[in-house]
Amino acid sequence: MDVNLLEVEQLRKSYKDAEVLKGLSFTLARGDVLVVAGPSGCGKSTLLRCINGLEPFQSGVIRLSGRDLTAPGVKWTEVRQKVGMVFQSYELFPHMNVLDNLLLAPRKAQGLSKSEASARAASLLERVGLKDKMKSFPRELSGGQKQRVAILRALMMKPELMLFDEVTAALDPEMVREVLDLMLELATDGMTMIIVTHEMQFAQAAASRVLFMDEGEIVETSSPDVFFTFPKTDRAKQFLNIFHFEKKERRH
Amino acid sequence: MDIEFMINCLPMYVQAAWLTLRIASAGIALALGAGLICALVRSAKIPVASFIVSAYIELSRNTPLLVQLFLLYFGLPKAGVYLSSQMCAIIGLVFLGGSYMAEAFRSGLESVDKAQRESAESLGLTKFQTAIYVVLPQAISVSVPALAANVIFMIKETSVFSVVALADLMFVAKDLIGMYYKTNEALTLLVGFYLLILLPVSALAAWLERRVRYAGFGNPA
């Protein structure tokens, strides 16, 4: 039997007295695209950060390909090579050009040769139409270009799982599309992803499953079709109403 | 002005300037290293070491170099430690400059957003690799103006070294005034030689600042 790529069991995390994650459990099969939705401050980002070891947690187990990441002796530097993460604020390295941004981790963390890494970078850049930006510096790129480069930078490591933390939240509307298109393409190619987003239409198109969170708990997990049309819980209904506008009758 | 006297004095000044430069270079190089280590220790919040570094920085920044040198030159021999004038001068300069450099590096390190570190680590880089390739290059470029100001400050502070019987520029000038009463000539040469050393350093610093200005990454002016 094939093990799940990711298993999260009873994950609990608190800052001082405030409990942010109240015992979350879910699994992710290879090729799944899980969209995590929920109001601000419900713990979505914290969940991603825990999976990538950027945030310590109090209890619970996270398993990647069946391997317990909370066990002693687990090297997070190795785990993170298999788990790519993209941030809201891009976080490209401003002192390096696009190519060097892409090459740094494969060269230093994976020990790839320069020619091999460059070839990988070139083909990725080619694919998203940014090959001519190879020698550009991050500050010379638009927000959408930066975020696409940030996604490629994570892909350079050939990760098994990609985490997207509100990656379009800082972008102008006309830039959002190009980033979402790239993510959709990755999903189609079979990449396993966890996406935290407020782009509900995109979520509906990309997700294989929607996990709705509120106040540190999983409120419901549904297929996107069910979640967006007949959400099971009132809290999800309330949440989805935020994105829905009704045309009101004009007074006169 | 006794021009002939001044010309005759030139070799002494050149020699003294050379000594000043040598000690300043050694002191600055070591202070940069010490400052960087101190700043890293503090930014990594290493328990006991951070406290020691903070104590050192306060002690160093809040006492005059003259007092520090007296302590090294006259105090240490009482404790059975004998240092040459040059040794005293270099150690004194490093003791003074190290704290200023540490503060300059600290401002740079604090300017690098935490998310930069996280994004580097999320790619699988170790903490050390993150520091070397991601954090330090950005931090240092922010620190450059402060570091350059410190370099100039430290070169000027070397004028205090004459108190530990080191034949630097200041020492030579005072000597000549004492022996020949040629105050104007000796002081004119002294000012001239300090400018000769410091103007190029200032120009270099200004060029370097333009070169590494944060917004200018990838666009050397």
Side-chain angles (χ1 to χ4, degrees), chain A residues 49 52 77 80 87 91-96 104 108-109 137 139 153 157, chain B residues 115-116 118-119 121-124 129 133-134 137-138 215 217-219:
Chain A
R49 292 167 59 82
N52 205 9
T77 51
R80 287 175 182 144
F87 299 79
E91 299 307 331
L92 293 179
F93 307 131
H95 57 300
M96 297 179 187
L104 180 68
K108 303 299 173 191
F137 279 79
R139 59 181 192 84
R153 185 175 66 177
M157 303 299 283
Chain B
Q116 280 281 307
E118 289 180 348
S119 79
E121 285 177 20
S122 79
L123 287 164
Q129 289 169 330
Y133 300 111
V134 176
Q138 295 182 58
F217 276 137
N219 184 20

PDB file of all heavy atoms in Angstrom, chain A residues 49 52 77 80 87 91-96 104 108-109 137 139 153 157, chain B residues 115-116 118-119 121-124 129 133-134 137-138 215 217-219:
ATOM      1  N   ARG A  49       3.935  26.741   8.225  1.00  0.00           N
ATOM      2  CA  ARG A  49       5.253  26.969   8.827  1.00  0.00           C
ATOM      3  C   ARG A  49       5.671  25.802   9.719  1.00  0.00           C
ATOM      4  O   ARG A  49       6.852  25.499   9.836  1.00  0.00           O
ATOM      5  CB  ARG A  49       5.257  28.294   9.589  1.00  0.00           C
ATOM      6  CG  ARG A  49       5.137  29.509   8.652  1.00  0.00           C
ATOM      7  CD  ARG A  49       4.823  30.788   9.415  1.00  0.00           C
ATOM      8  NE  ARG A  49       5.852  31.082  10.394  1.00  0.00           N
ATOM      9  CZ  ARG A  49       6.998  31.685  10.097  1.00  0.00           C
ATOM     10  NH1 ARG A  49       7.226  32.081   8.864  1.00  0.00           N
ATOM     11  NH2 ARG A  49       7.901  31.897  11.021  1.00  0.00           N
ATOM     12  N   ASN A  52       7.016  22.969   7.574  1.00  0.00           N
ATOM     13  CA  ASN A  52       8.348  23.239   7.045  1.00  0.00           C
ATOM     14  C   ASN A  52       9.386  23.477   8.144  1.00  0.00           C
ATOM     15  O   ASN A  52      10.520  23.868   7.877  1.00  0.00           O
ATOM     16  CB  ASN A  52       8.282  24.466   6.129  1.00  0.00           C
ATOM     17  CG  ASN A  52       9.382  24.451   5.110  1.00  0.00           C
ATOM     18  OD1 ASN A  52      10.087  23.451   4.989  1.00  0.00           O
ATOM     19  ND2 ASN A  52       9.563  25.530   4.407  1.00  0.00           N
ATOM     20  N   THR A  77      17.221  20.516   7.403  1.00  0.00           N
ATOM     21  CA  THR A  77      17.785  20.984   6.138  1.00  0.00           C
ATOM     22  C   THR A  77      17.486  19.982   5.023  1.00  0.00           C
ATOM     23  O   THR A  77      17.254  20.372   3.892  1.00  0.00           O
ATOM     24  CB  THR A  77      19.305  21.185   6.240  1.00  0.00           C
ATOM     25  OG1 THR A  77      19.881  20.009   6.776  1.00  0.00           O
ATOM     26  CG2 THR A  77      19.641  22.377   7.110  1.00  0.00           C
ATOM     27  N   ARG A  80      13.539  20.094   4.274  1.00  0.00           N
ATOM     28  CA  ARG A  80      13.128  21.289   3.552  1.00  0.00           C
ATOM     29  C   ARG A  80      13.506  21.231   2.071  1.00  0.00           C
ATOM     30  O   ARG A  80      12.918  21.926   1.250  1.00  0.00           O
ATOM     31  CB  ARG A  80      13.754  22.525   4.182  1.00  0.00           C
ATOM     32  CG  ARG A  80      13.113  22.869   5.517  1.00  0.00           C
ATOM     33  CD  ARG A  80      13.851  23.999   6.140  1.00  0.00           C
ATOM     34  NE  ARG A  80      13.308  24.344   7.438  1.00  0.00           N
ATOM     35  CZ  ARG A  80      14.049  24.735   8.457  1.00  0.00           C
ATOM     36  NH1 ARG A  80      15.363  24.806   8.324  1.00  0.00           N
ATOM     37  NH2 ARG A  80      13.504  25.042   9.598  1.00  0.00           N
ATOM     38  N   PHE A  87       6.523  32.366  -0.208  1.00  0.00           N
ATOM     39  CA  PHE A  87       5.993  33.311   0.768  1.00  0.00           C
ATOM     40  C   PHE A  87       5.201  34.436   0.093  1.00  0.00           C
ATOM     41  O   PHE A  87       5.411  34.751  -1.072  1.00  0.00           O
ATOM     42  CB  PHE A  87       7.150  33.948   1.552  1.00  0.00           C
ATOM     43  CG  PHE A  87       7.969  32.959   2.330  1.00  0.00           C
ATOM     44  CD1 PHE A  87       8.927  32.170   1.693  1.00  0.00           C
ATOM     45  CD2 PHE A  87       7.807  32.818   3.693  1.00  0.00           C
ATOM     46  CE1 PHE A  87       9.697  31.261   2.405  1.00  0.00           C
ATOM     47  CE2 PHE A  87       8.560  31.915   4.413  1.00  0.00           C
ATOM     48  CZ  PHE A  87       9.505  31.135   3.774  1.00  0.00           C
ATOM     49  N   GLU A  91      10.409  37.223  -1.069  1.00  0.00           N
ATOM     50  CA  GLU A  91      11.674  36.920  -0.402  1.00  0.00           C
ATOM     51  C   GLU A  91      12.747  36.405  -1.354  1.00  0.00           C
ATOM     52  O   GLU A  91      13.513  35.504  -1.021  1.00  0.00           O
ATOM     53  CB  GLU A  91      11.482  35.935   0.760  1.00  0.00           C
ATOM     54  CG  GLU A  91      10.576  36.448   1.848  1.00  0.00           C
ATOM     55  CD  GLU A  91      10.947  37.817   2.398  1.00  0.00           C
ATOM     56  OE1 GLU A  91      12.140  38.162   2.377  1.00  0.00           O
ATOM     57  OE2 GLU A  91      10.032  38.543   2.807  1.00  0.00           O
ATOM     58  N   LEU A  92      12.803  36.975  -2.546  1.00  0.00           N
ATOM     59  CA  LEU A  92      13.973  36.724  -3.388  1.00  0.00           C
ATOM     60  C   LEU A  92      15.158  37.390  -2.705  1.00  0.00           C
ATOM     61  O   LEU A  92      14.984  38.314  -1.914  1.00  0.00           O
ATOM     62  CB  LEU A  92      13.765  37.325  -4.779  1.00  0.00           C
ATOM     63  CG  LEU A  92      12.673  36.667  -5.616  1.00  0.00           C
ATOM     64  CD1 LEU A  92      12.548  37.363  -6.964  1.00  0.00           C
ATOM     65  CD2 LEU A  92      12.950  35.192  -5.824  1.00  0.00           C
ATOM     66  N   PHE A  93      16.369  36.934  -3.021  1.00  0.00           N
ATOM     67  CA  PHE A  93      17.542  37.546  -2.409  1.00  0.00           C
ATOM     68  C   PHE A  93      17.930  38.772  -3.237  1.00  0.00           C
ATOM     69  O   PHE A  93      18.334  38.640  -4.391  1.00  0.00           O
ATOM     70  CB  PHE A  93      18.686  36.535  -2.336  1.00  0.00           C
ATOM     71  CG  PHE A  93      18.270  35.248  -1.673  1.00  0.00           C
ATOM     72  CD1 PHE A  93      18.547  34.014  -2.254  1.00  0.00           C
ATOM     73  CD2 PHE A  93      17.585  35.266  -0.466  1.00  0.00           C
ATOM     74  CE1 PHE A  93      18.145  32.823  -1.643  1.00  0.00           C
ATOM     75  CE2 PHE A  93      17.172  34.086   0.148  1.00  0.00           C
ATOM     76  CZ  PHE A  93      17.454  32.867  -0.448  1.00  0.00           C
ATOM     77  N   PRO A  94      17.811  39.968  -2.647  1.00  0.00           N
ATOM     78  CA  PRO A  94      17.933  41.195  -3.448  1.00  0.00           C
ATOM     79  C   PRO A  94      19.335  41.435  -4.002  1.00  0.00           C
ATOM     80  O   PRO A  94      19.494  42.181  -4.954  1.00  0.00           O
ATOM     81  CB  PRO A  94      17.548  42.300  -2.457  1.00  0.00           C
ATOM     82  CG  PRO A  94      17.804  41.725  -1.113  1.00  0.00           C
ATOM     83  CD  PRO A  94      17.526  40.259  -1.236  1.00  0.00           C
ATOM     84  N   HIS A  95      20.345  40.794  -3.405  1.00  0.00           N
ATOM     85  CA  HIS A  95      21.713  41.049  -3.847  1.00  0.00           C
ATOM     86  C   HIS A  95      22.158  40.069  -4.924  1.00  0.00           C
ATOM     87  O   HIS A  95      23.312  40.070  -5.327  1.00  0.00           O
ATOM     88  CB  HIS A  95      22.666  40.989  -2.656  1.00  0.00           C
ATOM     89  CG  HIS A  95      22.614  39.689  -1.905  1.00  0.00           C
ATOM     90  ND1 HIS A  95      21.475  39.222  -1.310  1.00  0.00           N
ATOM     91  CD2 HIS A  95      23.560  38.765  -1.666  1.00  0.00           C
ATOM     92  CE1 HIS A  95      21.732  38.064  -0.728  1.00  0.00           C
ATOM     93  NE2 HIS A  95      22.980  37.756  -0.932  1.00  0.00           N
ATOM     94  N   MET A  96      21.239  39.213  -5.375  1.00  0.00           N
ATOM     95  CA  MET A  96      21.603  38.249  -6.420  1.00  0.00           C
ATOM     96  C   MET A  96      20.663  38.410  -7.606  1.00  0.00           C
ATOM     97  O   MET A  96      19.490  38.730  -7.423  1.00  0.00           O
ATOM     98  CB  MET A  96      21.423  36.821  -5.902  1.00  0.00           C
ATOM     99  CG  MET A  96      22.308  36.456  -4.753  1.00  0.00           C
ATOM    100  SD  MET A  96      21.928  34.759  -4.283  1.00  0.00           S
ATOM    101  CE  MET A  96      22.915  34.642  -2.804  1.00  0.00           C
ATOM    102  N   LEU A 104      21.450  29.164  -5.990  1.00  0.00           N
ATOM    103  CA  LEU A 104      22.058  29.091  -4.657  1.00  0.00           C
ATOM    104  C   LEU A 104      21.781  27.771  -3.926  1.00  0.00           C
ATOM    105  O   LEU A 104      22.710  27.057  -3.557  1.00  0.00           O
ATOM    106  CB  LEU A 104      21.594  30.279  -3.797  1.00  0.00           C
ATOM    107  CG  LEU A 104      22.187  30.291  -2.391  1.00  0.00           C
ATOM    108  CD1 LEU A 104      23.681  30.568  -2.426  1.00  0.00           C
ATOM    109  CD2 LEU A 104      21.493  31.330  -1.505  1.00  0.00           C
ATOM    110  N   LYS A 108      24.450  24.820  -3.196  1.00  0.00           N
ATOM    111  CA  LYS A 108      25.002  24.729  -1.843  1.00  0.00           C
ATOM    112  C   LYS A 108      24.377  23.608  -1.022  1.00  0.00           C
ATOM    113  O   LYS A 108      25.063  22.932  -0.270  1.00  0.00           O
ATOM    114  CB  LYS A 108      24.830  26.057  -1.094  1.00  0.00           C
ATOM    115  CG  LYS A 108      25.447  27.245  -1.790  1.00  0.00           C
ATOM    116  CD  LYS A 108      26.952  27.083  -1.960  1.00  0.00           C
ATOM    117  CE  LYS A 108      27.508  28.216  -2.811  1.00  0.00           C
ATOM    118  NZ  LYS A 108      28.909  27.962  -3.206  1.00  0.00           N
ATOM    119  N   ALA A 109      23.066  23.416  -1.150  1.00  0.00           N
ATOM    120  CA  ALA A 109      22.410  22.420  -0.307  1.00  0.00           C
ATOM    121  C   ALA A 109      22.436  21.034  -0.940  1.00  0.00           C
ATOM    122  O   ALA A 109      22.569  20.029  -0.261  1.00  0.00           O
ATOM    123  CB  ALA A 109      20.976  22.842   0.004  1.00  0.00           C
ATOM    124  N   PHE A 137      17.967  41.792 -11.730  1.00  0.00           N
ATOM    125  CA  PHE A 137      17.907  41.722 -10.277  1.00  0.00           C
ATOM    126  C   PHE A 137      16.452  41.829  -9.831  1.00  0.00           C
ATOM    127  O   PHE A 137      15.635  42.430 -10.537  1.00  0.00           O
ATOM    128  CB  PHE A 137      18.763  42.834  -9.665  1.00  0.00           C
ATOM    129  CG  PHE A 137      20.216  42.466  -9.644  1.00  0.00           C
ATOM    130  CD1 PHE A 137      20.989  42.577 -10.792  1.00  0.00           C
ATOM    131  CD2 PHE A 137      20.796  41.967  -8.483  1.00  0.00           C
ATOM    132  CE1 PHE A 137      22.323  42.204 -10.782  1.00  0.00           C
ATOM    133  CE2 PHE A 137      22.125  41.599  -8.475  1.00  0.00           C
ATOM    134  CZ  PHE A 137      22.896  41.712  -9.617  1.00  0.00           C
ATOM    135  N   ARG A 139      14.815  43.671  -7.946  1.00  0.00           N
ATOM    136  CA  ARG A 139      14.152  44.980  -7.927  1.00  0.00           C
ATOM    137  C   ARG A 139      13.772  45.465  -9.331  1.00  0.00           C
ATOM    138  O   ARG A 139      13.014  46.412  -9.466  1.00  0.00           O
ATOM    139  CB  ARG A 139      15.049  46.019  -7.262  1.00  0.00           C
ATOM    140  CG  ARG A 139      16.361  46.173  -7.949  1.00  0.00           C
ATOM    141  CD  ARG A 139      17.267  47.172  -7.302  1.00  0.00           C
ATOM    142  NE  ARG A 139      18.371  47.442  -8.202  1.00  0.00           N
ATOM    143  CZ  ARG A 139      18.318  48.309  -9.191  1.00  0.00           C
ATOM    144  NH1 ARG A 139      17.236  49.022  -9.377  1.00  0.00           N
ATOM    145  NH2 ARG A 139      19.351  48.468  -9.981  1.00  0.00           N
ATOM    146  N   ARG A 153      12.351  29.096  -7.839  1.00  0.00           N
ATOM    147  CA  ARG A 153      13.460  28.870  -6.911  1.00  0.00           C
ATOM    148  C   ARG A 153      13.165  27.662  -6.025  1.00  0.00           C
ATOM    149  O   ARG A 153      14.052  26.850  -5.751  1.00  0.00           O
ATOM    150  CB  ARG A 153      13.678  30.124  -6.053  1.00  0.00           C
ATOM    151  CG  ARG A 153      14.874  30.019  -5.150  1.00  0.00           C
ATOM    152  CD  ARG A 153      15.133  31.309  -4.420  1.00  0.00           C
ATOM    153  NE  ARG A 153      14.067  31.618  -3.478  1.00  0.00           N
ATOM    154  CZ  ARG A 153      14.061  32.666  -2.664  1.00  0.00           C
ATOM    155  NH1 ARG A 153      15.070  33.507  -2.689  1.00  0.00           N
ATOM    156  NH2 ARG A 153      13.077  32.878  -1.843  1.00  0.00           N
ATOM    157  N   MET A 157      14.690  22.736  -6.384  1.00  0.00           N
ATOM    158  CA  MET A 157      15.108  21.659  -5.495  1.00  0.00           C
ATOM    159  C   MET A 157      14.379  20.349  -5.813  1.00  0.00           C
ATOM    160  O   MET A 157      14.554  19.365  -5.121  1.00  0.00           O
ATOM    161  CB  MET A 157      14.836  22.050  -4.039  1.00  0.00           C
ATOM    162  CG  MET A 157      15.498  23.344  -3.593  1.00  0.00           C
ATOM    163  SD  MET A 157      17.290  23.269  -3.717  1.00  0.00           S
ATOM    164  CE  MET A 157      17.686  22.278  -2.277  1.00  0.00           C
TER     165      MET A 157
ATOM    166  N   ALA B 115      12.293  37.204   7.345  1.00  0.00           N
ATOM    167  CA  ALA B 115      11.740  36.359   6.285  1.00  0.00           C
ATOM    168  C   ALA B 115      12.802  35.965   5.253  1.00  0.00           C
ATOM    169  O   ALA B 115      12.689  34.927   4.616  1.00  0.00           O
ATOM    170  CB  ALA B 115      10.577  37.065   5.605  1.00  0.00           C
ATOM    171  N   GLN B 116      13.840  36.799   5.092  1.00  0.00           N
ATOM    172  CA  GLN B 116      14.939  36.434   4.193  1.00  0.00           C
ATOM    173  C   GLN B 116      15.629  35.167   4.700  1.00  0.00           C
ATOM    174  O   GLN B 116      15.942  34.260   3.938  1.00  0.00           O
ATOM    175  CB  GLN B 116      15.959  37.577   4.122  1.00  0.00           C
ATOM    176  CG  GLN B 116      15.546  38.684   3.193  1.00  0.00           C
ATOM    177  CD  GLN B 116      15.800  38.338   1.731  1.00  0.00           C
ATOM    178  OE1 GLN B 116      16.906  37.958   1.356  1.00  0.00           O
ATOM    179  NE2 GLN B 116      14.781  38.444   0.917  1.00  0.00           N
ATOM    180  N   GLU B 118      14.305  32.978   6.708  1.00  0.00           N
ATOM    181  CA  GLU B 118      13.371  31.852   6.621  1.00  0.00           C
ATOM    182  C   GLU B 118      13.286  31.307   5.209  1.00  0.00           C
ATOM    183  O   GLU B 118      13.242  30.093   5.012  1.00  0.00           O
ATOM    184  CB  GLU B 118      11.980  32.290   7.089  1.00  0.00           C
ATOM    185  CG  GLU B 118      11.922  32.517   8.570  1.00  0.00           C
ATOM    186  CD  GLU B 118      10.546  32.952   9.049  1.00  0.00           C
ATOM    187  OE1 GLU B 118       9.691  33.286   8.199  1.00  0.00           O
ATOM    188  OE2 GLU B 118      10.344  32.965  10.256  1.00  0.00           O
ATOM    189  N   SER B 119      13.291  32.212   4.230  1.00  0.00           N
ATOM    190  CA  SER B 119      13.157  31.705   2.866  1.00  0.00           C
ATOM    191  C   SER B 119      14.419  30.943   2.472  1.00  0.00           C
ATOM    192  O   SER B 119      14.346  29.944   1.767  1.00  0.00           O
ATOM    193  CB  SER B 119      12.848  32.838   1.889  1.00  0.00           C
ATOM    194  OG  SER B 119      14.001  33.549   1.559  1.00  0.00           O
ATOM    195  N   GLU B 121      16.352  29.273   4.591  1.00  0.00           N
ATOM    196  CA  GLU B 121      16.318  27.992   5.302  1.00  0.00           C
ATOM    197  C   GLU B 121      15.253  27.069   4.735  1.00  0.00           C
ATOM    198  O   GLU B 121      15.417  25.852   4.733  1.00  0.00           O
ATOM    199  CB  GLU B 121      16.120  28.222   6.801  1.00  0.00           C
ATOM    200  CG  GLU B 121      17.403  28.715   7.458  1.00  0.00           C
ATOM    201  CD  GLU B 121      17.244  29.018   8.935  1.00  0.00           C
ATOM    202  OE1 GLU B 121      16.290  28.513   9.556  1.00  0.00           O
ATOM    203  OE2 GLU B 121      18.092  29.764   9.467  1.00  0.00           O
ATOM    204  N   SER B 122      14.167  27.654   4.227  1.00  0.00           N
ATOM    205  CA  SER B 122      13.107  26.814   3.667  1.00  0.00           C
ATOM    206  C   SER B 122      13.570  26.123   2.384  1.00  0.00           C
ATOM    207  O   SER B 122      12.948  25.184   1.924  1.00  0.00           O
ATOM    208  CB  SER B 122      11.843  27.627   3.400  1.00  0.00           C
ATOM    209  OG  SER B 122      11.971  28.360   2.200  1.00  0.00           O
ATOM    210  N   LEU B 123      14.670  26.620   1.804  1.00  0.00           N
ATOM    211  CA  LEU B 123      15.217  25.970   0.607  1.00  0.00           C
ATOM    212  C   LEU B 123      16.170  24.840   0.973  1.00  0.00           C
ATOM    213  O   LEU B 123      16.704  24.163   0.095  1.00  0.00           O
ATOM    214  CB  LEU B 123      15.966  26.994  -0.247  1.00  0.00           C
ATOM    215  CG  LEU B 123      15.094  27.994  -1.006  1.00  0.00           C
ATOM    216  CD1 LEU B 123      15.918  29.159  -1.481  1.00  0.00           C
ATOM    217  CD2 LEU B 123      14.415  27.306  -2.175  1.00  0.00           C
ATOM    218  N   GLY B 124      16.410  24.664   2.265  1.00  0.00           N
ATOM    219  CA  GLY B 124      17.286  23.580   2.688  1.00  0.00           C
ATOM    220  C   GLY B 124      18.707  24.021   2.995  1.00  0.00           C
ATOM    221  O   GLY B 124      19.580  23.199   3.226  1.00  0.00           O
ATOM    222  N   GLN B 129      25.134  28.452   6.009  1.00  0.00           N
ATOM    223  CA  GLN B 129      25.039  28.867   4.601  1.00  0.00           C
ATOM    224  C   GLN B 129      24.134  30.084   4.454  1.00  0.00           C
ATOM    225  O   GLN B 129      24.427  31.002   3.679  1.00  0.00           O
ATOM    226  CB  GLN B 129      24.490  27.705   3.748  1.00  0.00           C
ATOM    227  CG  GLN B 129      25.484  26.575   3.574  1.00  0.00           C
ATOM    228  CD  GLN B 129      24.841  25.337   2.959  1.00  0.00           C
ATOM    229  OE1 GLN B 129      23.653  25.074   3.141  1.00  0.00           O
ATOM    230  NE2 GLN B 129      25.634  24.563   2.227  1.00  0.00           N
ATOM    231  N   TYR B 133      25.696  33.353   2.702  1.00  0.00           N
ATOM    232  CA  TYR B 133      25.294  33.720   1.341  1.00  0.00           C
ATOM    233  C   TYR B 133      24.126  34.700   1.278  1.00  0.00           C
ATOM    234  O   TYR B 133      23.953  35.388   0.286  1.00  0.00           O
ATOM    235  CB  TYR B 133      24.921  32.464   0.540  1.00  0.00           C
ATOM    236  CG  TYR B 133      26.056  31.483   0.418  1.00  0.00           C
ATOM    237  CD1 TYR B 133      26.014  30.263   1.063  1.00  0.00           C
ATOM    238  CD2 TYR B 133      27.197  31.812  -0.329  1.00  0.00           C
ATOM    239  CE1 TYR B 133      27.072  29.368   0.968  1.00  0.00           C
ATOM    240  CE2 TYR B 133      28.248  30.937  -0.423  1.00  0.00           C
ATOM    241  CZ  TYR B 133      28.187  29.720   0.230  1.00  0.00           C
ATOM    242  OH  TYR B 133      29.226  28.849   0.134  1.00  0.00           O
ATOM    243  N   VAL B 134      23.304  34.716   2.320  1.00  0.00           N
ATOM    244  CA  VAL B 134      22.089  35.532   2.242  1.00  0.00           C
ATOM    245  C   VAL B 134      22.124  36.723   3.198  1.00  0.00           C
ATOM    246  O   VAL B 134      21.917  37.857   2.794  1.00  0.00           O
ATOM    247  CB  VAL B 134      20.827  34.662   2.506  1.00  0.00           C
ATOM    248  CG1 VAL B 134      19.578  35.525   2.524  1.00  0.00           C
ATOM    249  CG2 VAL B 134      20.723  33.573   1.452  1.00  0.00           C
ATOM    250  N   PRO B 137      25.923  39.266   3.182  1.00  0.00           N
ATOM    251  CA  PRO B 137      26.136  40.213   2.070  1.00  0.00           C
ATOM    252  C   PRO B 137      25.189  41.411   2.154  1.00  0.00           C
ATOM    253  O   PRO B 137      25.598  42.541   1.887  1.00  0.00           O
ATOM    254  CB  PRO B 137      25.830  39.375   0.823  1.00  0.00           C
ATOM    255  CG  PRO B 137      26.013  37.968   1.239  1.00  0.00           C
ATOM    256  CD  PRO B 137      25.645  37.903   2.685  1.00  0.00           C
ATOM    257  N   GLN B 138      23.930  41.165   2.539  1.00  0.00           N
ATOM    258  CA  GLN B 138      22.980  42.271   2.649  1.00  0.00           C
ATOM    259  C   GLN B 138      23.308  43.140   3.852  1.00  0.00           C
ATOM    260  O   GLN B 138      23.258  44.369   3.783  1.00  0.00           O
ATOM    261  CB  GLN B 138      21.560  41.730   2.792  1.00  0.00           C
ATOM    262  CG  GLN B 138      21.085  40.983   1.577  1.00  0.00           C
ATOM    263  CD  GLN B 138      19.657  40.499   1.749  1.00  0.00           C
ATOM    264  OE1 GLN B 138      18.745  41.274   1.975  1.00  0.00           O
ATOM    265  NE2 GLN B 138      19.454  39.195   1.656  1.00  0.00           N
ATOM    266  N   ALA B 215      19.720  49.924  -2.450  1.00  0.00           N
ATOM    267  CA  ALA B 215      18.810  49.998  -3.592  1.00  0.00           C
ATOM    268  C   ALA B 215      19.557  49.742  -4.896  1.00  0.00           C
ATOM    269  O   ALA B 215      18.953  49.447  -5.909  1.00  0.00           O
ATOM    270  CB  ALA B 215      18.150  51.360  -3.641  1.00  0.00           C
ATOM    271  N   PHE B 217      21.612  47.314  -5.661  1.00  0.00           N
ATOM    272  CA  PHE B 217      22.023  45.964  -5.974  1.00  0.00           C
ATOM    273  C   PHE B 217      21.863  45.704  -7.465  1.00  0.00           C
ATOM    274  O   PHE B 217      20.774  45.875  -8.009  1.00  0.00           O
ATOM    275  CB  PHE B 217      21.206  44.948  -5.201  1.00  0.00           C
ATOM    276  CG  PHE B 217      21.725  44.691  -3.826  1.00  0.00           C
ATOM    277  CD1 PHE B 217      20.866  44.593  -2.760  1.00  0.00           C
ATOM    278  CD2 PHE B 217      23.089  44.534  -3.615  1.00  0.00           C
ATOM    279  CE1 PHE B 217      21.339  44.352  -1.496  1.00  0.00           C
ATOM    280  CE2 PHE B 217      23.574  44.300  -2.346  1.00  0.00           C
ATOM    281  CZ  PHE B 217      22.696  44.214  -1.286  1.00  0.00           C
ATOM    282  N   GLY B 218      22.952  45.312  -8.101  1.00  0.00           N
ATOM    283  CA  GLY B 218      22.856  44.998  -9.509  1.00  0.00           C
ATOM    284  C   GLY B 218      22.988  46.217 -10.381  1.00  0.00           C
ATOM    285  O   GLY B 218      22.857  46.147 -11.575  1.00  0.00           O
ATOM    286  N   ASN B 219      23.251  47.355  -9.763  1.00  0.00           N
ATOM    287  CA  ASN B 219      23.330  48.572 -10.537  1.00  0.00           C
ATOM    288  C   ASN B 219      24.451  49.456  -9.996  1.00  0.00           C
ATOM    289  O   ASN B 219      24.203  50.528  -9.462  1.00  0.00           O
ATOM    290  CB  ASN B 219      21.986  49.316 -10.451  1.00  0.00           C
ATOM    291  CG  ASN B 219      21.983  50.550 -11.313  1.00  0.00           C
ATOM    292  OD1 ASN B 219      22.778  50.666 -12.230  1.00  0.00           O
ATOM    293  ND2 ASN B 219      21.105  51.481 -10.999  1.00  0.00           N
TER     294      ASN B 219
END
